[in-house]
Amino acid sequence: MARSRAAYEYTEAEDKSMRLGFLLIAAGLLSLLGLGCCWLRPALQERGGGGSANCTVLAVRQLGERFACTFSCGAACRGTARYPCLQVLVRTSRSSAPALLHEDERQLRTNPKCSYIPPCARDDQENSENVTYKQKYWKEKVGSQPFTCYFNQHLRPDDVMLKRTHDETVLLHCFLWPVVTFLVGVLIVVLTICAKSLAVRAEAIKKKKH
């Protein structure tokens, strides 16, 4: 029995390999749990009840109201500027009621009143010029041409998005890499155990021959 136990004792390298495998298994499970609770579940809730549609521009306008944004001009240099509010009203193929277009879910959460938030510049005039350029783009280049937009009738029935922040690729990577980490850890543990078992059997067969 003592010889058997001694034979199955792991060397320092094998012990490190086992620890690495168990560490990867734990990291994969914790990552999957954390991402599922903090990121994946809200993303799926945002996508639930939503879909894509064809949108057509109804009106493009600037409101008199201006909103604040924060600019950065160096490590210790930050300030506040203002930009005008641009609204792009569209009609979707799913509903005849007008809806307010937004760049994505992130922009919608940041400023639900406007369709576009320009990169915040220090000069208010530069911010206004960026918004005016975007206004001309929607009026002149897009015009009445239909384009794909996204909606969620449960969360925001009166708003549509030009693109999704949480698309299928992001969701796939959110699930894929924790699973890969977990499987690599399992593989390391299994291979270490198998290698040790084969080494013990080879040593037993060698002793029998002698």
Side-chain angles (χ1 to χ4, degrees):
M1 288 291 293
R3 289 182 180 180
S4 178
R5 287 179 183 175
Y8 273 95
E9 286 181 358
Y10 291 102
T11 63
E12 185 179 353
E14 290 168 341
D15 188 55
K16 287 182 178 180
S17 180
M18 292 287 286
R19 288 181 182 179
L20 175 62
F22 286 122
L23 180 63
L24 290 175
I25 291 172
L29 290 174
L30 291 175
S31 299
L32 193 60
L33 182 63
L35 289 171
C37 293
C38 302
W39 197 91
L40 185 58
R41 186 179 176 184
L44 290 175
Q45 286 177 345
E46 281 187 5
R47 292 171 60 84
S52 62
N54 288 327
C55 281
T56 307
V57 176
L58 291 177
V60 183
R61 64 193 184 191
Q62 282 193 35
L63 302 182
E65 189 176 2
R66 286 177 170 261
F67 291 87
C69 63
T70 303
F71 65 85
S72 177
C73 50
C77 176
R78 296 175 69 86
T80 302
R82 306 189 77 81
Y83 64 92
C85 181
L86 175 67
Q87 286 190 337
V88 180
L89 298 175
V90 300
R91 178 185 286 118
T92 71
S93 57
R94 299 293 186 95
S95 173
S96 59
L100 183 60
L101 181 70
H102 300 272
E103 291 282 322
D104 52 28
E105 291 96 342
R106 196 173 288 122
Q107 184 267 312
L108 171 60
R109 288 192 296 267
T110 303
N111 189 342
K113 282 190 175 182
C114 305
S115 297
Y116 174 67
I117 300 176
C120 194
R122 189 169 188 170
D123 185 12
D124 290 356
Q125 181 62 31
E126 185 177 345
N127 291 327
S128 298
E129 290 174 357
N130 287 335
V131 172
T132 302
Y133 174 80
K134 184 64 73 169
Q135 182 178 7
K136 289 181 178 179
Y137 168 80
W138 283 108
K139 275 188 174 180
E140 299 173 6
K141 291 193 175 181
V142 178
S144 59
Q145 298 178 13
F147 58 92
T148 302
C149 60
Y150 301 93
F151 64 92
N152 192 314
Q153 293 178 343
H154 298 324
L155 295 180
R156 290 281 186 172
D158 299 325
D159 299 280
V160 294
M161 272 71 67
L162 186 61
K163 58 185 177 181
R164 281 175 170 161
T165 305
H166 305 120
D167 58 10
E168 288 81 358
T169 305
V170 176
L171 294 178
L172 175 63
H173 284 285
C174 180
F175 176 74
L176 177 64
W177 295 114
V179 172
V180 170
T181 303
F182 173 79
L183 292 177
V184 169
V186 171
L187 184 63
I188 290 175
V189 171
V190 170
L191 289 178
T192 303
I193 293 174
C194 289
K196 185 63 177 179
S197 178
L198 290 174
V200 170
R201 289 184 182 182
E203 185 67 24
I205 292 171
K206 185 178 179 181
K207 288 181 177 180
K208 285 182 180 179
K209 287 182 178 179
H210 290 290

